[in-house]
Amino acid sequence: MTKPLKSKQSSSEFLPYGKKHYSDLKRRNIIRLLLTYTAPLVILTILFYFQYNSLISESQRLHLKSIAENQANTLDLFLSERVVNLSNLIYDPRLQLPPSSRGYAGISRAAQDE
């Protein structure tokens, strides 16, 4: 039996392409994988950021609107009460025209008691 001759050639010499080709291929595959996994994550992060900002600004706008409506209703109620008080004061049979100082003091005290 004869022993096979051991070759001192490296395994890279038997490859159809050079080492540079395979290292470039490996680098491109790693870049593709990184882009494939990170691109959707980055896109979703940006989308969620803008959605969150629009949600916050809309929430702030609605909060300010509700505060303004509440203040408007409070002022409207206050003015309505004052109109009712004035109409009650005008149609009071004790009201003298022109008012005397003694009659005016009694009416103002009655209005303050209400």
Side-chain angles (χ1 to χ4, degrees):
M1 279 216 266
T2 62
K3 289 186 180 178
L5 296 173
K6 289 197 175 185
S7 171
K8 293 191 179 188
Q9 296 175 338
S10 67
S11 63
S12 65
E13 292 178 11
F14 293 113
L15 297 175
Y17 298 102
K19 248 187 167 182
K20 180 166 175 27
H21 171 74
Y22 289 109
S23 65
D24 287 343
L25 186 63
K26 180 180 177 182
R27 182 178 46 83
R28 279 185 284 172
N29 280 339
I30 289 174
I31 290 172
R32 283 185 196 139
L33 284 174
L34 286 175
L35 287 177
T36 303
Y37 291 128
T38 58
L41 182 64
V42 169
I43 291 170
L44 284 175
T45 302
I46 292 170
L47 176 71
F48 289 153
Y49 173 76
F50 286 116
Q51 288 291 326
Y52 178 75
N53 280 343
S54 68
L55 181 70
I56 291 297
S57 63
E58 181 70 16
S59 172
Q60 289 173 343
R61 188 184 67 76
L62 290 175
H63 181 68
L64 287 175
K65 183 179 177 183
S66 68
I67 289 174
E69 287 175 354
N70 186 21
Q71 291 296 323
N73 290 338
T74 302
L75 182 62
D76 189 40
L77 180 64
F78 175 78
L79 291 176
S80 297
E81 287 177 357
R82 299 295 82 79
V83 167
V84 168
N85 289 346
L86 287 175
S87 66
N88 288 340
L89 184 64
I90 289 174
Y91 297 118
D92 190 4
R94 296 176 293 165
L95 180 66
Q96 299 174 3
L97 293 176
S100 66
S101 62
R102 187 175 63 92
Y104 178 72
I107 291 173
S108 65
R109 266 183 291 178
Q112 287 177 354
D113 291 341
E114 291 179 7

